[in-house]
Amino acid sequence: MPAATSRSSLQVARYLLSLAAGAAMPLGFSPFDFWPVPMLAVGIIFLLTRTLPVKTATMCGFLFGVGMFGAGTSWIYVSIHEFGAASPILAGLLTGLFVLGISALMIMPVFLLYSWLNQRKAGPLPPWQQALMFSGLWVLFEWVRSWLLTGFPWLLSGYALLDTPFAALAPVIGTYGLSLLLVATVCLLFALIIPAKQQRTPNIIAFFIALAGWGLSWPLNNMAWTEKTVISPSAQYREISPQNLKWDPDFIHTTIINYIGLSEDQWQQELIIWPENAIPLFYNRARGLMAQLDRLARQNNSTLILGMPVDDNAGSETRYFNSILSLGEGYLAADGPGRYDKQKLVPFGEYVPMESLLRGLIDFFNLPMSEFSRGDSEQTLLKAGEATIAPYICYEVVYPDFVAQMAQESGLLITISNDTWFGKSIGPVQHFQIARMRALETGRFMIRATNDGITALIDEKGGVVKTIPRFTHGVLSATAEVRTGQTPFMVYGSWPVLLLGFLMVILPLYFNIRTRRQ
C-alpha cells in the first residue's frame, strides 16, 4: 500500500474514532447512567490527539463534539419537528446546524488550544503536563459553554457522577469540579501508559493526588451542610396537554378545569404547585380566575404557585414575561412580590435572535410565546408561609452558579417546566438529572412540577423522594423540608475550580519553558 494511502486511511480511522468516542459520551448520563463511559471516551480522545498536528487534532476535537451533541441532544430534532411544525428535512438541517455550531464554538477550541500550546517551540510537554493542560482547558470551556451566546451547559461531564458515591463532592466543588476531577484522573491514568523519556515520578504523584480527590468523597458522604427547619406538606401536579393544542383558545378552558379538578382535594396542603404555563392565558386576561384561586388558597391557609405568561403594561409598551405567580398566603400582586419573571430565556422557544431577519421566515421562528422579555436579575424571592422559595423556570435549572446564587437566601427550591417540548426523547430524563444535581450542590430540597417530563420531590442529597411516572396525569403529595445553611459551593461558586483549571493550563507551559532554558 502506498505511504500516502496508508496515512489517509489512518487519518480517516482517527476521525471515525473521535466521532465514536464523542457519541459514547451521553451513555454516562441519564437515562443510561454508565458513568465510566465518559472517562473512557475522554481518555481515548486525549491519547488520540496528544501528538497530532494542530489541524488534525482540531478536526478530531470537532468530530468528538459532533458525536457528543449529535447523540446527546437529539431531542432538539423532536422539538423542532413535532412542536415547531418543521418538516423532517428542515428539522434535521436545523438540528445539524446546531450540533455543528456548538461543536465548533465549544468543543473544537479545547483541542485547538491544547495542540497549539503543547507544540510550542519550547518542545512538547511531558505526558503528565499534557494531561493537566487538557483537563484545565476542558473544564474552562465547559464553563464558557454556560454563558457564551446565552449558554448551553448541557452534558457537563460531572453529571455522570451524580448517582455514585463521588457525588458527595458536589456541594463543595460543584459540577465543574466533578468534571475536572473526572477528566484529570483519566488523562493522568492514560498518561502513565505512554512511553516517556522523562522521569515518570511527577506523573505518578499527580495521579495519586487526583485519586486522593476521589477519596475525599467518603468522609463527605456523611457531611450535612444544611439543616432542617420547617416541614411543608406540598402537592405538585402533572397535567398532560398536547403541545399543539395548549394555546388553542378552545382547549384553554379544558386545561384550567383539569387543574382545578386535580386540586379539589389538595387545598389543605400548605403549598400547591402547578407547572410552567399551567394557565395558558396572559395575566391581564385571567384576573378573575386569579382572584378566585387566591380566595381558595387563602380560605385554606395555603399557597398556590403556578406558571403563566404575564403581560406587563407598566412601561411605554407592553412587555411579555414567562412568569411564576404565588397566590394565597404568598400573594401580594402580579407586578410586585409574589411574581418571578424568567431570566434565562431559551433561544427560538422564548425569544428569536435576530428577530427582524428570522421572524416569520418559517413556522419554527414564529412559535407561540416566543416574544418574551428577560426578567430582572434583582427579583424578590417567593414566599409560602414561613418558607422563602427560590424559583426556577424550566431551562434556568441547568445553570449551576445561577441556581446557587439565588438559593443563598432561600430554604427551598422550586422548578417548574414544560418538558412536553422534548416528546418521548431522552431530553426530560437528562433535564431531571440536572435538576437533581442542583439540589445536591445547594443542600436544598427541590420541588419539580412539569407538564410532562418528571414531576418529583428531590431531597438535599439529590435523591428522589417521590415521583410521578412520565406521560400520566397525577398529583404528587409529599413533605418537603425547608433548610438553612450554605454549602461551600453556594459560598464560593465555581471560581476556585476555574482558577485551578487556569493554573493547570498555565503552569505546565511555565515549567516547560523554564526547563528548556536551563
Side-chain angles (χ1 to χ4, degrees):
M1 179 182 295
T5 304
S6 178
R7 284 194 299 269
S8 178
S9 299
L10 182 60
Q11 186 137 308
V12 170
R14 289 194 188 106
Y15 290 159
L16 291 176
L17 183 57
S18 300
L19 187 67
M25 281 287 289
L27 294 176
F29 311 115
S30 291
F32 312 106
D33 296 315
F34 300 130
W35 66 269
V37 173
M39 298 186 73
L40 180 61
V42 170
I44 288 173
I45 196 65
F46 165 69
L47 281 183
L48 191 64
T49 58
R50 192 181 63 85
T51 59
L52 291 179
V54 174
K55 184 178 179 180
T56 307
T58 301
M59 179 56 69
C60 286
F62 172 71
L63 291 172
F64 182 90
V66 170
M68 182 171 75
F69 289 110
T73 62
S74 55
W75 44 266
I76 292 175
Y77 171 85
V78 176
S79 299
I80 297 174
H81 171 53
E82 295 188 14
F83 305 112
S87 67
I89 294 176
L90 180 58
L93 176 62
L94 293 174
T95 303
L97 288 174
F98 169 81
V99 169
L100 294 175
I102 197 168
S103 300
L105 285 173
M106 311 292 191
I107 303 298
M108 190 169 70
V110 174
F111 295 85
L112 173 62
L113 287 172
Y114 166 66
S115 182
W116 180 71
L117 292 172
N118 183 39
Q119 299 182 39
R120 300 283 286 169
K121 291 181 180 180
L125 299 170
W128 69 277
Q129 292 184 10
Q130 293 174 342
L132 293 181
M133 178 182 288
F134 181 86
S135 306
L137 287 169
W138 183 279
V139 76
L140 288 174
F141 273 89
E142 280 199 342
W143 171 71
V144 168
R145 186 148 44 99
S146 73
W147 54 264
L148 185 64
L149 299 178
T150 74
F152 188 69
W154 208 275
L155 301 180
L156 302 180
S157 308
Y159 288 131
L161 299 179
L162 177 61
D163 289 310
T164 72
F166 314 111
L169 292 163
V172 180
I173 61 177
T175 302
Y176 297 121
L178 293 178
S179 293
L180 185 62
L181 184 63
L182 183 150
V183 175
T185 302
V186 71
C187 289
L188 287 167
L189 175 62
F190 277 45
L192 281 172
I193 66 175
I194 298 171
K197 297 179 181 179
Q198 299 95 337
Q199 192 179 22
R200 303 179 67 86
T201 302
N203 196 154
I204 296 172
I205 293 173
F207 175 68
F208 276 99
I209 290 174
L211 284 184
W214 293 82
L216 288 174
S217 59
W218 268 267
L220 290 176
N221 267 303
N222 299 317
M223 181 70 72
W225 298 105
T226 59
E227 59 182 6
K228 176 175 61 180
T229 57
V230 180
I231 298 178
S232 300
S234 62
Q236 303 94 55
Y237 300 84
R238 172 176 306 125
E239 189 276 328
I240 306 299
S241 300
Q243 194 63 27
N244 59 338
L245 295 178
K246 186 172 181 66
W247 302 99
D248 188 326
D250 296 331
F251 196 78
I252 290 173
H253 180 73
T254 302
T255 300
I256 294 170
I257 292 299
N258 284 344
Y259 276 115
I260 292 176
L262 286 169
S263 303
E264 190 172 3
D265 298 327
Q266 300 297 326
W267 288 109
Q268 76 280 5
Q269 304 286 358
E270 292 182 30
L271 179 60
I272 298 172
I273 303 170
W274 295 357
E276 181 182 10
N277 290 326
I279 306 297
L281 286 172
F282 282 106
Y283 177 80
N284 284 319
R285 292 184 57 195
R287 286 184 177 272
L289 174 61
M290 293 297 102
Q292 177 188 349
L293 293 174
D294 177 52
R295 283 194 300 271
L296 278 171
R298 287 183 183 276
Q299 289 168 4
N300 292 278
N301 297 316
S302 180
T303 298
L304 170 62
I305 291 178
L306 57 84
M308 73 179 303
V310 169
D311 44 345
D312 193 325
N313 301 316
S316 58
E317 60 181 27
T318 301
R319 300 173 68 202
Y320 303 98
F321 297 92
N322 188 358
S323 304
I324 295 177
L325 297 184
S326 179
L327 308 178
E329 292 297 299
Y331 176 82
L332 289 180
D335 57 354
R339 166 181 157 189
Y340 169 76
D341 300 325
K342 188 176 183 182
Q343 300 179 54
K344 303 286 188 179
L345 300 180
V346 179
F348 303 107
E350 293 173 319
Y351 79 99
V352 178
M354 299 181 293
E355 184 173 9
S356 60
L357 296 176
L358 298 178
R359 176 71 71 182
L361 192 61
I362 58 174
D363 288 342
F364 177 65
F365 297 142
N366 199 34
L367 292 172
M369 303 295 105
S370 60
E371 295 182 276
F372 286 125
S373 297
R374 181 177 179 271
D376 194 277
S377 59
E378 300 292 333
Q379 298 187 57
T380 304
L381 297 181
L382 302 182
K383 299 285 290 187
E386 298 179 25
T388 302
I389 298 172
Y392 309 94
I393 300 177
C394 191
Y395 190 61
E396 291 186 313
V397 82
V398 308
Y399 296 88
D401 292 279
F402 173 77
V403 171
Q405 183 177 11
M406 282 185 59
Q408 288 180 348
E409 303 299 324
S410 74
L412 178 66
L413 312 182
I414 287 178
T415 177
I416 62 173
S417 183
N418 181 11
D419 281 0
T420 307
W421 292 106
F422 295 112
K424 296 182 179 180
S425 69
I426 60 177
V429 191
Q430 292 176 342
H431 200 192
F432 182 54
Q433 182 183 46
I434 292 170
R436 291 176 56 205
M437 183 64 84
R438 298 292 89 84
L440 174 61
E441 288 172 338
T442 58
R444 297 288 191 275
F445 269 59
M446 175 180 284
I447 301 173
R448 188 171 193 264
T450 69
N451 295 77
D452 193 351
I454 300 173
T455 291
L457 176 64
I458 305 166
D459 66 23
E460 82 282 7
K461 299 288 187 181
V464 181
V465 178
K466 196 173 183 181
T467 186
I468 302 176
R470 291 175 67 187
F471 313 120
T472 58
H473 295 269
V475 178
L476 187 154
S477 296
T479 300
E481 294 180 4
V482 178
R483 303 184 72 86
T484 59
Q486 297 190 6
T487 65
F489 179 71
M490 291 173 69
V491 175
Y492 301 107
S494 298
W495 293 111
V497 170
L498 297 175
L499 176 59
L500 178 58
F502 179 74
L503 291 175
M504 289 167 67
V505 174
I506 297 299
L507 290 181
L509 292 176
Y510 169 76
F511 288 126
N512 189 246
I513 293 172
R514 184 178 177 182
T515 300
R516 295 287 175 175
R517 287 176 176 175
Q518 290 177 352

